Amino acid sequence: MELEAAKMIGAGLAAIALAGAGVGIGIIFGNYLSGAMRNPSAAQKQFPNLLLGFALAEATGLFGLVIALIILFAF
Amino acid sequence: MASPLKQFTIEPILDLNIGETDISFTNSSLWMVITALVLIIFVAVGTRRSSIVPGRWQSAVEYFYQVVADMVRDNVGSGGRPYFPFIFALFMFILFGNLLGLIPGSFTFTSHLAVTFAMAAFIFIGVTLIGIFTHGLKFFSLFFPHGAPIVSAPVLIPIEIISYFSRPISLSVRLFANMTVGHVLLKVIGGGVVALGSFYILPGIVPFMALVAITILEVMIAVIQAYVFAILTCIYLNDALNLHH
């Protein structure tokens, strides 16, 4: 196989990591919302934790994207 | 059309060399200076004639102060008060850098791993030194979770050490990747708007609306990432100052 083609396929495979980030962000916001519906008075206090969890979940997916960018542009 | 990654090129404005080392004043440094100046003007002018009933500008400055003060108090406790100025400066610098980077034609210095990793490495080394100076050798109990059975030590200690040393990497890559990806996305969709809009007006409106929505999302991400960077610094500082409490 050509090196260029292999790089494209590898970058595409690395970007699959973002699917996990999507699932994680969905779980975080879904659970926050269901928790906030049950106990609205406690919701505001947990908002910083929501943002923290969102950022941590998103970052793991973005690591995969960084690998894809490295494969495409750094090699 | 130019590549979506062209916006990240660093161009020297003033060529400077010390021996073999290139220390040119680049567009990245220029935007860091601009960010610092905007930040200083924002805070200094806002609190210049401070009154008990704040005006609009003073309330804006006080709001940011309040957010960071709450963050430090909730996450570090009273021991974190000496480090409040550092966290405040860090948060405001990253926030203003991210937001000024969203102005079309400007340069986002937080989209470079060199910048974010330098900040994260300083935080990591500083926090580790603070921990060692406050607790001495007891600091290394951080690598063994409190209350875990002693038999599990050979497994837990390597995991904890790896997780401790991956902190600066995850801290810097998170900010860098978010900023880079956001700006690439804006550029790609902007390219779609130009390509469709220059031929037909109507189909160009749909990607333009998407572009507006993504710009709003990017403003949100810029604020959230600055907040997360500061809050994680607080959490690391809390680990070093309070050791599992």
Side-chain angles (χ1 to χ4, degrees), chain B residues 67-89:
Chain B
V67 166
V68 182
D70 284 346
M71 188 195 321
V72 173
R73 198 183 51 234
D74 293 347
N75 290 295
V76 195
S78 56
R81 291 190 67 175
Y83 307 105
F84 169 77
F86 173 69
I87 309 271
F88 184 71

Side-chain angles (χ1 to χ4, degrees), chain A residues 10-28:
Chain A
L13 289 176
I16 294 176
L18 285 163
V23 172
I25 295 168
I27 288 174
I28 286 164

